Amino acid sequence: MKFSPRFMNLLGALSLFTFASTAFGGAVCGPGTNWVNTCPGGIYSFHSVSNMMLSLDLDNNLGNGFEINSLFVQTIGTTYIYLAPGADHQMLSEGYSLTETEIGGGATIIAGDGIANGLNDGAYNSPGAITERGFSPSFCDPATRTADPFLADSCYQIFFQMTIPAASLVLHNATPLTVACTGLTGVPPDGCRYLWNEAYLNLYTSDNVLRGLMLPANAVHHEISPEPGTIWLLVGALVGLGSSRRRLRR
C-alpha cells in the first residue's frame, strides 16, 4: 500500500492552550513520602488539547492504500475525570467525559461513559490510575521502574469516537489508547506530559471496517502550566502523537 498526502486544508490555526480547572471533594496532596495514600480524590474539569497524526482510507478500499497520509489534527475542548481517594499506593481514576473540536472547526472527538463513578458504564469507558512507583495498576502496567515512595506514574486507557466530516468518516478504537505520564510528585500534576508509544492504533467504522490508523510520536505532547492560586489537573486524553510517518506497502 502506498500513502499520498491530501486534505491538509482540514487544519485550522494551531495553538496549545493552558487552563484552570475547577475541583471539589479534596485538597492538593504531595509531595512527600507515600503521598498517594493521602489524596482524598474528587471530580476535576479542565480544558484539554489533543494532538493526533492520522492516515485515512477515503474510498473504503484498502487495496488502494490510504488516500490521506499522516494528517495532523489538533482538537481542543473540555475533559472531566473522577479520581478515587488514595489507598494501597494507588488512586483509581476515570476519564468520564471528553469533548473536543478541531481548531477552526471540522473533526470532533468524544471519550468516556458519562458517569463519574470509576465504573464501566458504557461505550468509551476510559479507566485510569495514579500509582506509586513500585506498584502496578491492574488495567495498565507501565515499564518496570525502581520503587520510590516520593514518585508516582499516571496511566489511562482511552476509548474514543472521532468524527471527520471532510472525509465522511466516524471512527473508533477497538483496543485502548494507552497514555502515561511518569514521575509525578503530587496531585494535581503540574506540567505533566502524557505520551503514547505504540506502533499504531487501528480505527474502525461502526460496522467494524478498518478505515484509519493513528500514528505515534513523542514530538507533540499535552502539557499545562498552573496559574497562582488555582487548582490544576491534567488527564492527557489522546496525546503524545506527533509528526512521525508510518508507510504501509502492498
Side-chain angles (χ1 to χ4, degrees):
M1 299 180 185
K2 186 178 181 180
F3 291 128
S4 59
R6 293 173 58 186
F7 290 92
M8 296 309 292
N9 59 339
L10 289 172
L11 304 180
L14 303 181
S15 61
L16 183 64
F17 279 59
T18 59
F19 48 84
S21 72
T22 58
F24 53 89
V28 175
C29 49
T33 303
N34 306 122
W35 60 266
V36 172
N37 288 336
T38 67
C39 291
I43 294 177
Y44 298 80
S45 67
F46 53 91
H47 297 296
S48 53
V49 180
S50 297
N51 300 303
M52 292 156 282
M53 189 70 68
L54 305 173
S55 289
L56 303 173
D57 173 27
L58 299 182
D59 63 3
N60 196 20
N61 183 358
L62 281 177
N64 295 330
F66 289 89
E67 287 76 30
I68 295 182
N69 172 34
S70 300
L71 173 68
F72 178 76
V73 176
Q74 184 178 67
T75 57
I76 63 171
T78 304
T79 298
Y80 297 85
I81 75 158
Y82 165 82
L83 194 62
D88 298 324
H89 309 281
Q90 184 175 88
M91 301 180 74
L92 294 178
S93 184
E94 177 188 9
Y96 70 90
S97 178
L98 177 148
T99 304
E100 295 181 349
T101 302
E102 185 182 2
I103 296 174
T108 60
I109 189 166
I110 61 172
D113 61 25
I115 303 176
N117 58 8
L119 303 175
N120 185 350
D121 296 303
Y124 313 123
N125 172 254
S126 299
I130 296 174
T131 308
E132 184 181 311
R133 288 278 178 93
F135 299 85
S136 295
S138 59
F139 66 92
C140 178
D141 190 2
T144 301
R145 299 181 179 92
T146 302
D148 190 331
F150 293 92
L151 298 178
D153 299 322
S154 177
C155 185
Y156 283 86
Q157 291 190 322
I158 308 297
F159 287 92
F160 64 90
Q161 176 183 283
M162 172 175 282
T163 301
I164 310 171
S168 299
L169 289 172
V170 179
L171 303 173
H172 70 277
N173 57 323
T175 56
L177 175 69
T178 300
V179 295
C181 173
T182 62
L184 275 67
T185 58
V187 169
D190 173 5
C192 205
R193 300 181 179 187
Y194 282 81
L195 303 175
W196 173 60
N197 292 305
E198 299 298 326
Y200 62 90
L201 184 70
N202 289 332
L203 301 177
Y204 300 90
T205 59
S206 60
D207 52 355
N208 295 317
V209 176
L210 178 64
R211 297 288 300 277
L213 295 176
M214 182 175 287
L215 314 175
N218 291 342
V220 180
H221 55 266
H222 190 114
E223 183 176 358
I224 61 170
S225 299
E227 292 178 350
T230 304
I231 297 177
W232 291 77
L233 186 64
L234 174 65
V235 173
L238 306 174
V239 295
L241 308 182
S243 59
S244 68
R245 293 174 179 262
R246 175 181 176 84
R247 296 183 177 273
L248 304 181
R249 296 181 178 179
R250 288 193 180 96

